[in-house]
Amino acid sequence: MPIKRTVSICLAWLLLFAVALTLSFQTAHASQADPGGAWPLLGFGGLLVNRAVLNDVFTNLKTTFHKAFDAAPSLWEKIAMKVTSTGSQNDYAWLSNFPRMRKWVGDKVIKALEGFRYSIVNDDFEATVSVKRSHIEDDTLGIYGPQAQMAGFSAKQLPDEIVFDLVNQGFTALCYDGQYFFDTDHPVAGASVSNKGAKALSAATLAAAQGSYGAARTALRKMRDDEGRPLNITPNVLLVPPALGDTARLLMTTERLEDGKPNPYRGTAEVVESAHLTSDTAWFLLDTTKPVRPFIYQERKKPVFVQQIDMSADDVFTRGEYKFGAEARAAGGYAFWQMAYGSTGTE
């Protein structure tokens, strides 16, 4: 073999050996200094999973989550008030005897709380998605974008689900006075007061409108406190399921009812239609003009994006999975039943 050719081959082998030795040293040094360090990201046909890659992946998922959260619709604030919670539960015994201004003659009258006990205990909520390490390695992460969007949408909808579930259960769930929230015999100064009906919402005739919506409106406006003074309830929200949306909008917008008679209820309330309502016949009239509203959304921890990207976590070692999702702590409850009227719509 010619001497020049032999020398060239030897030099080539020495060069390959030097490159291999250098790469081996760099890899060992990176592993010791920073096991998740940002060394070469591209492997054979995919990504090498390290801290930098994980941060990029989950930053994008967090951004997607927040965009979906901000864009998601929400209706709960139209009918409920938010109460911030600082512990495991809140006590609402004060609802049983809300003080009002009176003429000051002699000593002040101290309004004591009655023997009602009404507390709302916070619940934990979560939505979690697992991200397979193999999907990061194979760079097939497109399937997680929609899941991040749905997690954000669901987190935004959590207050709606809590509040409108209160409405759905209002005929069978107890409020502060020990009665169902919508009931016919709430005790007030030794008498029974009703905020419940059974008439179907109707705009067919003046008589039908008066017997349904009109009766509810009158019942709320006649509400009084335990001293017999009017509460000045101002019903302004007509809450209905999708099945009653057209009837409600007709009742609130048309100049004449279906029988041709003038519509006295035009513009008297805002129609709020929610698919969260489970009954196709039940409808509700509410007063949301006061500082206190009929329903309570109690928030201990607002929905937040959470992630688990610790490369040494057990789930990563045993199942090759990272995780992201949302967490929240909240609950719902009933405030003043005097500010709400519910009809089952079954009569």
Side-chain angles (χ1 to χ4, degrees), residues 19-165:
V19 170
L21 184 63
T22 300
L23 290 175
S24 176
F25 172 79
Q26 289 181 340
T27 302
H29 179 74
S31 177
Q32 293 174 5
D34 183 4
W39 285 95
L41 303 182
L42 294 178
F44 293 100
L47 297 175
L48 295 178
V49 179
N50 56 35
R51 186 174 296 121
V53 170
L54 288 174
N55 285 336
D56 287 343
V57 168
F58 282 86
T59 296
N60 289 334
L61 290 173
K62 183 177 182 179
T63 300
T64 301
F65 171 92
H66 282 296
K67 285 182 177 179
F69 182 93
D70 293 338
S74 183
L75 290 174
W76 71 270
E77 289 179 293
K78 287 186 173 292
I79 68 170
M81 62 178 180
K82 182 170 78 171
V83 175
T84 300
S85 177
T86 57
S88 61
Q89 65 183 42
N90 282 22
D91 179 40
Y92 293 89
W94 57 269
L95 289 171
S96 66
N97 218 338
F98 195 79
R100 297 183 61 198
M101 295 296 291
R102 61 181 292 276
K103 188 175 181 179
W104 188 353
V105 179
D107 294 338
K108 289 183 177 179
V109 177
I110 308 300
K111 304 200 76 173
L113 296 178
E114 297 183 26
F116 300 120
R117 291 292 179 268
Y118 187 61
S119 298
I120 300 176
V121 180
N122 292 310
D123 294 315
D124 295 310
F125 297 89
E126 59 84 23
T128 305
V129 178
S130 65
V131 180
K132 292 186 177 298
R133 182 171 55 195
S134 59
H135 289 165
I136 301 176
E137 293 171 342
D138 298 339
D139 198 13
T140 56
L141 294 168
I143 60 174
Y144 295 106
Q147 295 186 67
Q149 290 177 320
M150 287 306 300
F153 182 92
S154 178
K156 181 66 169 292
Q157 286 278 296
L158 175 62
D160 283 57
E161 294 181 6
I162 290 175
V163 168
F164 286 104
D165 194 43

